Amino acid sequence: MNFNIERIRADFPILSREIYKRPLIYFDNAASTQKPRQVIDAIRQYYEHDNCNIHRGVHYLSVKATEAYEEARREIMQFIHARNTCEIIFTKGATESLNLVASSFGKRYVRSGDEVITTIMEHHSNFVPWQQMCIERGATLRVLGINESGEIDPGELKGLLNEKTRLIAMTHVSNVLGTINPVKDIIAMAHQHDIPVLIDGAQGVSHLPVDVQDLDCDFYCFSGHKMYAPMGTGVLYGKEKYLEEMPPYQLGGEMIKDVFLDHTTFNELPFKFEAGTPNVEGVMGLHAAILYLKELGMDNIAAYEDQLLKYATEKLSGISGIKFYGTSSHKASLISFLIGDIHPYDAGMIIDKLGIAVRTGHHCAMPLMDSLKIPGTVRASFAFYNTMDEVDHLVTAICKVKEMLS
Ligand code: PLP
């Protein structure tokens, strides 16, 4: 595998800074990744040369900015292998993408007595919108459980499907357990019953090659900031047949076609779902991030991160008293754990003082924490710029935590 880690790390300026006089070790990538110089430069380039509002001007800068924005849409379409640019909606993140579908799909397709299926391992952003939509529409939210390894059982899911099921909404990769769900099989099973499937790809798209046509998912949502792009950017992929039928989510700006005193007509896809002035500079950064990922190759990224995960799992397993949450054989590169009965916040504070950023707490997955009967975990989540040497430092830090708090 052609993966020059030193060259890659040199692309990320923040990785050379120090925290508490120690080199930063950044293991909080599931919360947000760091940004390469190429992304930072794309934003600066946009503001220094091309800044203008898009879609509404005939002058040079407006046309140039619009072309660049639409070029980014084409790049994203190719990156996830969508059929058409009209299926790519820019949002401000996975949360907005998920709220958009819950609100708009709910209004169009969900009636009193209907059912929506989700799983216990969802991030709140892919749980609460469905819960609230079901409450508003008099529908029922069915929640699929997990086994001891942190995996769902497709057989159990099959048992939940019935003629009242309107949608399955599940994560591609769990942000707590790391489990990669068998989404392709689940989508095939759901489609046998004509049930559409939404995949929350917030933790998927930065770690795995994603092909929405191959998966045949009906919706796929993700955030830019978890894939080396700026905050405040995100994507909703949706099949045209659903997006066409769904009502607009927000009103105003580019989503308008004509306004009369008593009614309004709406723009075509994808603009129908893009109200107001969008985050153009963020999309320029997102475009640069995708070019960067393409250059590295998603297969190479997945293979390198898998090596990191295996190495870290083996090393951390050697620490007595450590308990892992999420032990599926099909995992993305993150590890959630507890050390004996040490509270995750206490562990996180000490690990931080050693220059290592890990995340502690419920990771916005309270229903999962309740089902596991724990207050939270310590989570180390890896990116392709992390190294085995950094993992060794984490092991030393955990031993220090034990020494101080056991
Ligand atoms: N879904 C999953 C699985 C996540 O991990 C996250 C964020 O951690 C989200 C959704 C929400 O993403 P954002 O906060 O970028 O909208």
Side-chain angles (χ1 to χ4, degrees), residues 173-283:
V173 174
S174 160
N175 66 313
V176 179
L177 308 163
T179 314
I180 303 174
N181 283 320
V183 289
K184 191 172 169 180
D185 294 344
I186 285 166
I187 292 162
M189 184 205 295
H191 284 176
Q192 283 174 3
H193 302 262
D194 281 332
I195 297 166
V197 182
L198 171 143
I199 303 297
D200 172 1
Q203 300 292 346
V205 75
S206 56
H207 298 291
L208 309 164
V210 170
D211 180 331
V212 291
Q213 289 190 65
D214 180 54
L215 290 177
D216 202 20
C217 53
D218 301 280
F219 301 96
Y220 195 95
C221 305
F222 53 96
S223 295
H225 72 97
K226 293 183 196 287
M227 55 185 303
Y228 313 94
M231 301 222 174
T233 59
V235 171
L236 163 64
Y237 157 80
K239 279 188 185 160
E240 197 178 341
K241 66 173 178 181
Y242 289 112
L243 294 176
E244 278 294 356
E245 292 276 313
M246 285 159 49
Y249 175 54
Q250 290 180 336
L251 308 171
E254 191 54 24
M255 57 78 62
I256 302 284
K257 191 166 175 205
D258 288 305
V259 179
F260 307 90
L261 281 187
D262 59 349
H263 75 284
T264 297
T265 57
F266 303 120
N267 206 342
E268 59 196 21
L269 291 173
F271 313 110
K272 180 173 108 177
F273 289 108
E274 293 181 1
T277 297
N279 179 359
V280 183
E281 80 273 19
V283 167

Side-chain angles (χ1 to χ4, degrees), residues 117-373:
I117 300 176
T118 189
T119 82
I120 194 75
M121 68 168 79
E122 302 305 317
H123 186 280
H124 294 160
S125 295
N126 194 34
F127 191 89
V128 181
W130 305 112
Q131 179 196 62
Q132 295 300 306
M133 183 271 276
C134 285
I135 292 171
E136 277 163 27
R137 307 202 69 76
T140 302
L141 185 65
R142 301 252 173 248
V143 183
L144 194 64
I146 52 171
N147 66 17
E148 294 232 309
S149 308
E151 298 162 326
I152 56 163
D153 173 3
E156 192 187 332
L157 175 61
K158 196 171 180 190
L160 289 181
L161 301 181
N162 63 59
E163 71 288 349
K164 292 182 278 182
T165 313
R166 290 291 155 263
L167 183 85
I168 300 172
M170 72 160 54
T171 193
H172 196 170
V173 174
S174 160
N175 66 313
V176 179
L177 308 163
T179 314
I180 303 174
N181 283 320
V183 289
K184 191 172 169 180
D185 294 344
I186 285 166
I187 292 162
M189 184 205 295
H191 284 176
Q192 283 174 3
H193 302 262
D194 281 332
I195 297 166
V197 182
L198 171 143
I199 303 297
D200 172 1
Q203 300 292 346
V205 75
S206 56
H207 298 291
L208 309 164
V210 170
D211 180 331
V212 291
Q213 289 190 65
D214 180 54
L215 290 177
D216 202 20
C217 53
D218 301 280
F219 301 96
Y220 195 95
C221 305
F222 53 96
S223 295
H225 72 97
K226 293 183 196 287
M227 55 185 303
Y228 313 94
M231 301 222 174
T233 59
V235 171
L236 163 64
Y237 157 80
K239 279 188 185 160
E240 197 178 341
K241 66 173 178 181
Y242 289 112
L243 294 176
E244 278 294 356
E245 292 276 313
M246 285 159 49
Y249 175 54
Q250 290 180 336
L251 308 171
E254 191 54 24
M255 57 78 62
I256 302 284
K257 191 166 175 205
D258 288 305
V259 179
F260 307 90
L261 281 187
D262 59 349
H263 75 284
T264 297
T265 57
F266 303 120
N267 206 342
E268 59 196 21
L269 291 173
F271 313 110
K272 180 173 108 177
F273 289 108
E274 293 181 1
T277 297
N279 179 359
V280 183
E281 80 273 19
V283 167
M284 298 301 107
L286 178 57
H287 190 173
I290 286 176
L291 294 179
Y292 190 86
L293 292 173
K294 271 176 63 179
E295 171 99 22
L296 289 182
M298 289 310 298
D299 285 319
N300 292 335
I301 290 173
Y304 177 73
E305 290 183 352
D306 197 48
Q307 282 177 16
L308 268 179
L309 175 69
K310 290 203 168 98
Y311 182 80
T313 306
E314 192 194 315
K315 288 285 168 173
L316 267 67
S317 300
I319 302 172
S320 68
I322 200 160
K323 181 167 170 28
F324 296 120
Y325 292 87
T327 53
S328 169
S329 57
H330 212 40
K331 263 185 80 169
S333 59
L334 70 83
I335 300 185
S336 265
F337 60 91
L338 287 175
I339 314 153
D341 55 6
I342 298 170
H343 196 282
Y345 289 123
D346 298 334
M349 297 273 277
I350 294 173
I351 295 171
D352 169 61
K353 293 292 174 293
L354 298 169
I356 304 175
V358 290
R359 189 145 293 248
T360 56
H362 55 62
H363 314 297
C364 295
M366 287 186 191
L368 176 61
M369 295 300 148
D370 285 347
S371 80
L372 295 170
K373 299 191 175 49

